Amino acid sequence: YPHIDAAERAEELFEICLGATRGEVKPVMAVHDLRMISMWRTPVGEAAGIVAQMQALEGQDGILSVSLAHGFPWGDVPDASAKVIVVADNDAGAAAAAANSLGEKIWSLRESTHPTGLTIDQALDHAAAAAAGPIVMADLGDNAGVGAPSDSTFILRRMLQRETPDVASGVYWDPIAVRFCKEGGEGATIDLRIGGKVGVTSGDPVDLQVVVRGILSEGRQRFGGSIIDMGETVWVSAANGQNLDLILNTNRAQTFHPDAFEQFGIDLARKKVVVVKSTQHFFAGFEPMAAEILYVTAPGAIPMDFANIDYQKFQQDYWPRHEDPRR
């Protein structure tokens, strides 16, 4: 997580199915229910170690494939909790033993792998004290990939109040503001009402005088091997001298890659702060250029307090709502 290995996993699945068709293997599966609602940021820390252990298990003792199905914390379905899935060659006992062993390992690391985040001011204080940027901040509460509007203004408003310099932020889904920028044209200075349009979790709109710096009829950004269509996309800069650049667009999507900014010629390396509306899919693209990555639990449509998500269909006891739901 982020999901940048879809092609490799598809190839792995194909090879196992092909082997089964040829009679070379007889896949059997075992599932271990973790009884957890969480997320695992697999590129770093203890979560990266879990992935390494999964890979090490594959190919040993007839184990064909090992997966951690993270689940989706905001998906209210009867079987929402995370699972370990192991496929073995004609050995259900080996599959179950591997799944249970890995499940116990993941359970033991639940506190250290559970996602956490900073408040807006904690993140901005940290960035202000940093020797160099860019400090990439993930706006966890406003990720369109989870279902949020991608037009919240909580971090933007606080940066304006604090006069945080050298900032790039996006992508804001705001077709109305994009239209006004198009009608004004590149180079126009206009008073623009940005974001805060969808609902209460978006915050209030921000009224800002901006310079329209760039307009693209078809914006693009990468995610792994895919190209994401951003629709009509504009670049505006605050006219207050704060060196604040914002990206607005018409196709609602989270921020995946520096392309979202750099397609306009914005040099992110010269920014102190880059705010991205994403939970984790931004990581693969932004990590190579980031001095540091911070996760920010700003208000928004996406609740990060997993213990108190208001599930209706998912009724199973789970951690962190219950200390040990396995009892």
Side-chain angles (χ1 to χ4, degrees), residues 32-38 40 68-71 80-84:
H32 176 93
D33 188 346
L34 290 164
R35 306 295 293 268
M36 297 169 66
I37 297 292
S38 190
W40 288 264
L68 168 58
H70 297 208
S81 58
K83 311 287 193 298
V84 175

Side-chain angles (χ1 to χ4, degrees), residues 133-169:
I135 307 300
V136 176
M137 299 182 184
D139 183 357
L140 302 180
D142 198 27
N143 175 9
V146 177
S150 196
D151 80 333
S152 76
T153 57
F154 301 103
I155 297 178
L156 174 59
R157 183 175 299 279
R158 192 66 182 126
M159 291 192 297
L160 288 167
Q161 291 169 344
R162 292 176 54 133
E163 298 182 351
T164 304
D166 302 325
V167 174
S169 181

